[in-house]
Amino acid sequence: ASTLGAQAAQSGRYFGAAVAAGKLGDGTYTGILDREFNSVTPENEMKWDATERSRNSFTFGSADQIVNRATARGQRVRGHTLVWHSQLPSWVSSITDANTLRSVMNNHITTVASRYKGRIHSWDVVNEAFADGSSSQHRPSVFQNLLGNGFIEQAFRTARSADPAAKLCYNDYNIEDWNAAKTQGVYRMVRDFKARGVPIDCVGLQAHFGAGGPPSSFQTTLSSFAALGVDVQITELDIAQAPTSAYANTVRACMNVARCTGITVWGIRDSDSWRSGENPLLFDRNGNKKAAYRSTLTTMGGT
Ligand code: G3I
């Protein structure tokens, strides 16, 4: 096939992009989006600060825009994200009582996941809960500090009840290198969840890479997680300067692992990227395909 989404679909995978609601009026942007991608992730619109700015007062306008548009075009949607320490309104981070926080967290998950029930392919239920450089430490957050490690399990159980059909993912960065302590920490958590029947279906590896691309152990990491009985997804891919070989190595690792079910790039054009100074994406500022586009497509077997 001659587009990313169509080629990925030939092996039952998806190829997605992070999408910003504010750009849906840009015809160059939507032209590429609809031609190339069969999955979208709202870049910011489903985060807590966008959906529940004050307690139990929910706003879904921008998220609805993205979900409705994608659904109408047969594109999948990755939900991002239900519980994260960042982009968290201060009314949540200033809670000091564990029981209050538990009910606030469960209410948030239930309300957001129920609204999109049946329309989300995968949810990033918990994002970035592990600390860098450690196999056991979780990152400090109001959730961790008041509820302990158990907040992650609680979040997954609540999400499963709200939308039983969605695949439930743990999503993080710096877990691409099999030899990194953080990777081992997440691996042990997933193994423990599977052993105890905590509902987890997938691990999202963000894959924000430097110019060197993925670590040499990347495929081992993907296959090791998959061997636990979960899918793996590359959820936020971007690579400094977008070297063709770095993109090819990333895509090849996914193609080589049967349970690597999809790849999402974190934006469409370089100018859309949170790291726009590094030109890390597949399309240039004018919306033209870059060399990395071609290597990505051909690595998947497309022409
Ligand atoms: O919406 C406001 C707007 O009203 C205001 O005028 C403007 C002025 O700064 O800010 C806007 O909010 C910004 C938002 O993006 C929407 O553009 C925030 O300041 C800015 O911090 C936010 O950045 C996002 C970042 O997450 C926040 O942590 C990036 O767009 C987004 O790409 C990035 O994505 C994260 C993933 O969710 C998780 N993994 C890492 C990844 C990169 O940081």
Side-chain angles (χ1 to χ4, degrees):
S2 61
T3 65
L4 301 170
Q7 185 55 38
Q10 290 196 359
S11 62
R13 295 180 170 86
Y14 64 83
F15 206 103
V19 163
K23 291 176 183 163
L24 294 175
D26 174 342
T28 306
Y29 183 83
T30 54
I32 301 169
L33 172 60
D34 295 340
R35 188 186 71 226
E36 297 288 344
F37 298 100
N38 56 8
S39 173
V40 304
T41 305
E43 187 174 2
N44 290 297
E45 292 77 357
M46 287 180 164
K47 293 172 180 175
W48 200 311
D49 66 354
T51 52
E52 193 185 5
R53 188 163 275 286
S54 61
R55 186 169 176 178
N56 210 26
S57 163
F58 288 86
T59 47
F60 291 113
S62 305
D64 281 357
Q65 235 188 306
I66 294 177
V67 174
N68 292 341
R69 189 182 188 287
T71 307
R73 286 165 177 75
Q75 295 161 329
R76 296 175 177 185
V77 182
R78 294 196 80 263
H80 177 79
T81 171
L82 293 169
V83 182
W84 188 26
H85 67 276
S86 180
Q87 285 175 287
L88 188 65
S90 54
W91 71 266
V92 184
S93 40
S94 57
I95 291 171
T96 54
D97 171 66
N99 289 329
T100 303
L101 181 66
R102 191 176 299 108
S103 82
V104 159
M105 183 183 84
N106 288 336
N107 182 55
H108 181 79
I109 294 169
T110 300
T111 305
V112 178
S114 300
R115 181 173 187 90
Y116 299 109
K117 182 180 179 181
R119 295 191 284 165
I120 302 294
H121 176 270
S122 303
W123 262 113
D124 291 333
V125 177
V126 175
N127 192 40
E128 301 174 5
F130 276 70
D132 287 303
S134 164
S135 62
S136 55
Q137 282 294 110
H138 290 188
R139 174 193 300 280
S141 71
V142 70
F143 305 108
Q144 183 66 34
N145 300 348
L146 293 189
L147 306 177
N149 291 357
F151 88 85
I152 303 178
E153 167 173 356
Q154 174 74 65
F156 276 85
R157 293 189 189 279
T158 305
R160 180 68 99 219
S161 309
D163 186 354
K167 291 192 180 292
L168 304 183
C169 303
Y170 176 78
N171 192 54
D172 215 328
Y173 66 91
N174 285 353
I175 58 166
E176 294 84 7
D177 184 346
W178 181 241
N179 304 306
K182 187 173 173 182
T183 308
Q184 293 302 312
V186 173
Y187 178 83
R188 277 177 223 153
M189 177 188 75
V190 174
R191 189 173 59 189
D192 170 59
F193 279 15
K194 293 301 286 186
R196 292 191 295 112
V198 179
I200 185 168
D201 307 304
C202 38
V203 174
L205 299 95
Q206 295 186 7
H208 295 294
F209 291 135
S216 55
S217 61
F218 186 47
Q219 188 177 314
T220 299
T221 305
L222 296 177
S223 58
S224 300
F225 276 117
L228 293 176
V230 291
D231 291 340
V232 288
Q233 304 171 355
I234 296 172
T235 53
E236 304 184 13
L237 178 62
D238 50 22
I239 309 181
Q241 315 311 334
T244 54
S245 57
Y247 265 99
N249 291 342
T250 306
V251 171
R252 190 178 309 110
C254 182
M255 299 300 286
N256 285 344
V257 174
R259 289 199 79 154
C260 182
T261 57
I263 299 174
T264 297
V265 284
W266 204 241
I268 296 179
R269 301 161 299 196
D270 286 333
S271 47
D272 302 316
S273 172
W274 70 298
R275 332 161 55 180
S276 59
E278 299 177 282
N279 298 323
L281 294 174
L282 300 178
F283 295 88
D284 69 17
R285 276 146 216 274
N286 299 315
N288 296 315
K289 296 170 181 174
K290 294 165 59 179
Y293 171 93
R294 182 126 291 278
S295 79
T296 296
L297 183 65
T298 57
T299 301
M300 290 193 289
T303 47

